[in-house]
Amino acid sequence: MSDQPYQGYDGYDPYRQQHPPQGWPQQQPYDDPQADRQYTQQWQGQTWETQVQPPVAPAAEETAYMPSQGAGAVYGGHQAPAPGYQEAGWAGPGHTQAPGYTQAPGHPQAASHAQAPAHPHASAQTPPTPAAEPEYGPATVAGNARITDAQRARLEGRSPIIEPGVQPAGLTALLGLLLAGAAAIGPYALVVPLVALQAVTAAGWFRLNGMWPARQGIALAFAGALTADVALLASGRTPAAILGTLGVWVLLTLVLQLRSHADPDERMYGLMATVASAALAIVAAGYLAAHGDAVTVGAAAVAVAVLVRALPLPTPASVAAALLAAAGAGALAGALTGTGAAGALLGAGAAVCALIGHRVASYDYPSRFVHFTAGVALPLAAAAPAVYLLGRALG
């Protein structure tokens, strides 16, 4: 066999024609009508492929899908490479072509940069300092699937406000009558139903906010309530003990939440829920700071108001009837305790605060457990400040 390489027919070497040596001019075979089409994109003039390749500069739609060239600034649809970064065909922010750069035939980006060897902004102004771009989370198609019960109720055409009902109202009335009777006996007898009220208040508030189980938060709020009770009994039922305990417990809750390893949003949510629960449980100790007759009148008025509010009546009529019934019950209890006609005003004021607590326990489409905890305790806990203040004001 001959040592000469295969020349094909008529001296044609297919390998030499496809891969010519560096520096040799490329020779196009005359019998291939499609061979010159791959070199049309290197022409400086406007070709017949104007819809495929722009003649001057690449469009923004094309450059939007270019891969990232590093942490650089964006100029006119191009992303400049970072200082010290050099890629084939790119040398610094001016986008000048590096020596020895060869354009791949038929590559649209190579032809585009060949037509615009220097970026127009390179001579007009100095490129700005690259700035860190904000980081965003992954894109979602369906959105957040977790919605609250209130949002689901609105989407289904139902009201997100559901009142506790007759059974929780009966428990509230029973607990109110226990407070009224124990207050007539003495402060130490009042502690027993008061501790039960404070425990249900702490647990019900966390469940009302959708945080369950929250044993540490409930225990912390209940411990604050017990501390307030002990401080009141030790200080001769001075109301300053309530304020002091409340301030200490807010600071303690803040310190404990700062030591948590949860997410910032969860820590803030837990901080607000714990502070509110502890505040309600501690403020309920106002029954222990108030006068015994005022506690008897106020607790009896709250018991009657909640029972009337649970009757199947329209909301405006139910609220009006509850306030009138509370005023009548306060007047009757005032006559029995020697408070007189001021008992009606005290009973009406306590009933207003109790109805506010009842409304709060009905919010955000609560569950049955919420109704039997927050729905039972919040009316009485919210009425404690009114009982103390009106009892002191009315004598």
Coordinates of all heavy atoms in Angstrom, one line a residue, residues 182 185-193 233-234 288:
A182 N -67.0 32.9 96.5 CA -65.7 32.8 97.2 C -65.3 34.2 97.7 O -64.7 34.3 98.8 CB -64.7 32.2 96.4
I185 N -66.7 35.0 100.9 CA -66.2 34.3 102.1 C -64.9 35.0 102.5 O -64.6 35.3 103.7 CB -65.9 32.9 101.7 CG1 -67.3 32.2 101.4 CG2 -65.2 32.1 102.8 CD1 -67.1 30.7 100.9
G186 N -64.0 35.3 101.6 CA -62.7 35.9 101.9 C -61.7 35.7 100.8 O -61.9 35.0 99.8
P187 N -60.6 36.4 100.9 CA -59.6 36.4 99.8 C -58.9 35.1 99.7 O -58.6 34.7 98.5 CB -58.5 37.5 100.3 CG -58.7 37.6 101.7 CD -60.2 37.3 102.0
Y188 N -58.7 34.3 100.7 CA -58.0 33.0 100.6 C -59.0 32.0 99.9 O -58.5 31.1 99.2 CB -57.5 32.5 101.9 CG -56.4 33.3 102.4 CD1 -56.5 34.3 103.3 CD2 -55.1 33.0 102.0 CE1 -55.5 35.1 103.8 CE2 -54.0 33.7 102.5 CZ -54.2 34.8 103.4 OH -53.1 35.5 103.8
A189 N -60.3 32.1 100.1 CA -61.2 31.3 99.4 C -61.3 31.7 98.0 O -61.6 30.8 97.1 CB -62.6 31.3 100.1
L190 N -61.1 32.9 97.7 CA -61.2 33.4 96.3 C -60.0 32.9 95.5 O -60.1 32.8 94.2 CB -61.2 34.9 96.3 CG -61.3 35.7 94.9 CD1 -62.5 35.3 94.2 CD2 -61.2 37.2 95.1
V191 N -58.9 32.5 96.1 CA -57.7 32.1 95.3 C -58.0 30.8 94.6 O -57.5 30.6 93.4 CB -56.6 31.9 96.3 CG1 -55.4 31.2 95.6 CG2 -56.1 33.2 96.9
V192 N -58.9 29.9 95.1 CA -59.1 28.6 94.5 C -59.8 28.8 93.1 O -59.3 28.3 92.1 CB -60.0 27.7 95.4 CG1 -60.3 26.4 94.7 CG2 -59.3 27.5 96.7
P193 N -61.0 29.4 93.0 CA -61.5 29.6 91.6 C -60.7 30.5 90.7 O -60.7 30.4 89.5 CB -62.9 30.1 91.9 CG -62.8 30.8 93.2 CD -61.9 30.0 94.0
L233 N -51.2 38.6 98.0 CA -51.4 38.2 99.4 C -50.3 38.6 100.4 O -50.6 38.9 101.5 CB -51.6 36.6 99.5 CG -52.9 36.1 98.7 CD1 -52.9 34.6 98.7 CD2 -54.1 36.7 99.3
A234 N -49.1 38.6 99.9 CA -48.0 39.0 100.8 C -47.9 40.5 101.0 O -47.5 40.9 102.1 CB -46.7 38.5 100.2
L288 N -58.5 39.5 93.0 CA -57.9 39.3 94.4 C -57.6 40.7 95.0 O -57.6 40.9 96.2 CB -56.7 38.4 94.3 CG -56.2 37.9 95.7 CD1 -57.2 37.1 96.4 CD2 -54.9 37.1 95.4

